[in-house]
Coordinates of all heavy atoms in Angstrom, one line a residue:
R3 N 3.4 -3.8 4.5 CA 3.3 -5.2 4.9 C 1.8 -5.7 4.7 O 1.6 -6.8 4.2 CB 3.7 -5.3 6.4 CG 3.6 -6.7 6.9 CD 4.1 -6.9 8.3 NE 3.5 -5.9 9.1 CZ 3.5 -6.0 10.5 NH1 4.2 -6.9 11.0 NH2 2.9 -5.1 11.2
W4 N 0.8 -4.8 5.0 CA -0.6 -5.2 4.8 C -0.8 -5.4 3.3 O -1.6 -6.3 3.0 CB -1.5 -4.2 5.4 CG -1.6 -4.2 6.9 CD1 -1.0 -3.4 7.8 CD2 -2.2 -5.3 7.6 NE1 -1.3 -3.8 9.1 CE2 -2.0 -4.9 9.0 CE3 -2.9 -6.4 7.3 CZ2 -2.5 -5.8 10.0 CZ3 -3.4 -7.2 8.3 CH2 -3.2 -6.8 9.7
V5 N -0.3 -4.5 2.5 CA -0.5 -4.7 1.0 C 0.1 -6.1 0.6 O -0.6 -6.8 -0.1 CB 0.3 -3.6 0.3 CG1 0.2 -3.8 -1.2 CG2 -0.4 -2.3 0.5
L6 N 1.2 -6.4 1.1 CA 1.8 -7.7 0.7 C 1.0 -8.9 1.2 O 0.9 -9.9 0.6 CB 3.3 -7.8 1.2 CG 4.2 -6.8 0.5 CD1 5.6 -6.9 1.2 CD2 4.3 -7.0 -1.0
I7 N 0.4 -8.7 2.5 CA -0.4 -9.8 3.0 C -1.7 -10.0 2.2 O -2.0 -11.1 1.8 CB -0.7 -9.5 4.5 CG1 0.5 -9.6 5.4 CG2 -1.8 -10.4 5.0 CD1 0.3 -9.1 6.8
F8 N -2.3 -8.9 1.9 CA -3.6 -9.1 1.1 C -3.2 -9.5 -0.4 O -4.0 -10.3 -1.0 CB -4.3 -7.7 1.0 CG -5.2 -7.5 2.3 CD1 -4.8 -6.6 3.2 CD2 -6.3 -8.3 2.5 CE1 -5.5 -6.4 4.4 CE2 -7.1 -8.1 3.7 CZ -6.7 -7.1 4.6
L9 N -2.1 -9.1 -0.9 CA -1.7 -9.6 -2.2 C -1.5 -11.1 -2.2 O -1.9 -11.8 -3.1 CB -0.4 -8.8 -2.7 CG 0.1 -9.3 -4.1 CD1 -1.0 -8.9 -5.1 CD2 1.4 -8.6 -4.4
A10 N -0.8 -11.6 -1.1 CA -0.6 -13.0 -1.0 C -1.9 -13.8 -0.9 O -2.1 -14.8 -1.5 CB 0.4 -13.3 0.2
I11 N -2.8 -13.2 -0.1 CA -4.1 -13.9 0.0 C -4.8 -13.9 -1.3 O -5.4 -14.9 -1.6 CB -5.0 -13.1 1.1 CG1 -4.4 -13.3 2.5 CG2 -6.5 -13.6 1.1 CD1 -5.1 -12.4 3.6
A12 N -4.7 -12.8 -2.0 CA -5.4 -12.8 -3.3 C -4.8 -13.8 -4.3 O -5.5 -14.5 -5.0 CB -5.3 -11.4 -4.0
L13 N -3.5 -13.9 -4.3 CA -2.8 -14.9 -5.2 C -3.1 -16.3 -4.8 O -3.4 -17.2 -5.7 CB -1.3 -14.6 -5.2 CG -0.8 -13.4 -5.8 CD1 0.7 -13.2 -5.7 CD2 -1.2 -13.3 -7.3
I14 N -3.1 -16.6 -3.5 CA -3.4 -18.0 -3.1 C -4.8 -18.3 -3.4 O -5.2 -19.4 -3.9 CB -3.1 -18.1 -1.6 CG1 -1.6 -18.0 -1.3 CG2 -3.6 -19.5 -1.0 CD1 -1.2 -17.9 0.1
S15 N -5.8 -17.4 -3.2 CA -7.2 -17.6 -3.5 C -7.4 -17.8 -5.0 O -8.2 -18.6 -5.4 CB -8.0 -16.4 -3.0 OG -7.9 -16.3 -1.6
A16 N -6.6 -17.0 -5.8 CA -6.8 -17.1 -7.2 C -6.3 -18.5 -7.7 O -6.9 -19.1 -8.6 CB -6.0 -16.0 -7.9
I17 N -5.3 -19.0 -7.1 CA -4.7 -20.4 -7.5 C -5.8 -21.4 -7.2 O -6.0 -22.3 -8.0 CB -3.4 -20.6 -6.8 CG1 -2.3 -19.7 -7.3 CG2 -3.0 -22.1 -6.9 CD1 -1.0 -19.8 -6.5
F18 N -6.4 -21.3 -6.1 CA -7.4 -22.3 -5.7 C -8.8 -22.0 -6.2 O -9.7 -22.8 -6.0 CB -7.5 -22.5 -4.1 CG -6.2 -23.1 -3.6 CD1 -5.4 -22.4 -2.7 CD2 -5.8 -24.4 -3.9 CE1 -4.3 -22.9 -2.2 CE2 -4.6 -24.9 -3.4 CZ -3.8 -24.2 -2.6
G19 N -9.0 -20.9 -6.9 CA -10.2 -20.7 -7.6 C -11.3 -20.0 -6.7 O -12.5 -20.1 -7.0
F20 N -10.9 -19.4 -5.6 CA -11.9 -18.7 -4.8 C -12.0 -17.3 -5.3 O -11.4 -16.4 -4.8 CB -11.4 -18.7 -3.3 CG -11.2 -20.0 -2.8 CD1 -10.0 -20.3 -2.0 CD2 -12.1 -21.0 -2.9 CE1 -9.8 -21.5 -1.5 CE2 -11.9 -22.3 -2.4 CZ -10.7 -22.5 -1.7
G21 N -12.9 -17.1 -6.3 CA -13.0 -15.8 -7.0 C -13.3 -14.6 -6.1 O -12.7 -13.6 -6.2
G22 N -14.3 -14.8 -5.3 CA -14.8 -13.7 -4.5 C -13.7 -13.2 -3.5 O -13.5 -12.0 -3.3
I23 N -13.1 -14.2 -2.8 CA -12.1 -13.8 -1.9 C -10.9 -13.2 -2.5 O -10.3 -12.2 -2.1 CB -11.6 -15.1 -1.0 CG1 -12.8 -15.7 -0.3 CG2 -10.5 -14.8 -0.1 CD1 -12.5 -17.0 0.3
A24 N -10.5 -13.7 -3.7 CA -9.3 -13.2 -4.4 C -9.6 -11.8 -4.9 O -8.8 -10.9 -4.7 CB -9.0 -14.1 -5.6
G25 N -10.8 -11.5 -5.3 CA -11.2 -10.2 -5.8 C -11.2 -9.2 -4.7 O -10.7 -8.1 -4.8
A26 N -11.8 -9.6 -3.5 CA -11.8 -8.7 -2.4 C -10.4 -8.4 -1.8 O -10.1 -7.3 -1.5 CB -12.7 -9.3 -1.3
A27 N -9.6 -9.4 -1.7 CA -8.2 -9.2 -1.2 C -7.4 -8.4 -2.1 O -6.7 -7.5 -1.7 CB -7.5 -10.6 -1.0
A28 N -7.6 -8.6 -3.4 CA -6.8 -7.7 -4.4 C -7.3 -6.3 -4.3 O -6.5 -5.3 -4.4 CB -7.0 -8.4 -5.8
G29 N -8.6 -6.1 -4.2 CA -9.2 -4.7 -4.1 C -8.6 -4.0 -2.8 O -8.3 -2.9 -2.9
I30 N -8.6 -4.7 -1.7 CA -8.1 -4.2 -0.5 C -6.6 -3.8 -0.6 O -6.2 -2.7 -0.2 CB -8.3 -5.1 0.7 CG1 -9.8 -5.2 1.0 CG2 -7.6 -4.6 1.9 CD1 -10.2 -6.3 2.0
A31 N -5.9 -4.7 -1.2 CA -4.4 -4.5 -1.4 C -4.2 -3.3 -2.3 O -3.3 -2.5 -2.1 CB -3.8 -5.7 -2.1
K32 N -5.0 -3.1 -3.3 CA -4.9 -2.0 -4.2 C -5.1 -0.7 -3.5 O -4.4 0.3 -3.6 CB -5.8 -2.1 -5.4 CG -5.2 -2.7 -6.7 CD -6.0 -2.3 -7.9 CE -7.1 -3.3 -8.1 NZ -7.8 -3.1 -9.4
I33 N -6.2 -0.7 -2.7 CA -6.5 0.6 -2.0 C -5.4 0.9 -1.0 O -5.0 2.1 -0.9 CB -7.9 0.3 -1.2 CG1 -9.0 0.3 -2.2 CG2 -8.1 1.5 -0.2 CD1 -10.3 -0.2 -1.6
I34 N -4.9 -0.1 -0.2 CA -3.9 0.3 0.7 C -2.6 0.6 0.0 O -1.9 1.5 0.5 CB -3.6 -1.0 1.7 CG1 -4.9 -1.3 2.5 CG2 -2.4 -0.8 2.6 CD1 -4.8 -2.6 3.3
F35 N -2.3 0.1 -1.1 CA -1.1 0.4 -1.9 C -1.2 1.9 -2.3 O -0.2 2.7 -2.2 CB -0.9 -0.5 -3.1 CG 0.2 -0.1 -3.9 CD1 1.5 -0.3 -3.6 CD2 0.0 0.6 -5.1 CE1 2.6 0.1 -4.3 CE2 1.1 0.9 -5.9 CZ 2.4 0.7 -5.5

Side-chain angles (χ1 to χ4, degrees):
R3 181 175 53 168
W4 284 106
V5 172
L6 295 174
I7 290 170
F8 280 109
L9 181 64
I11 292 171
L13 291 174
I14 292 169
S15 298
I17 290 171
F18 291 117
F20 305 132
I23 296 171
I30 292 170
K32 266 199 275 190
I33 291 169
I34 295 173
F35 175 76

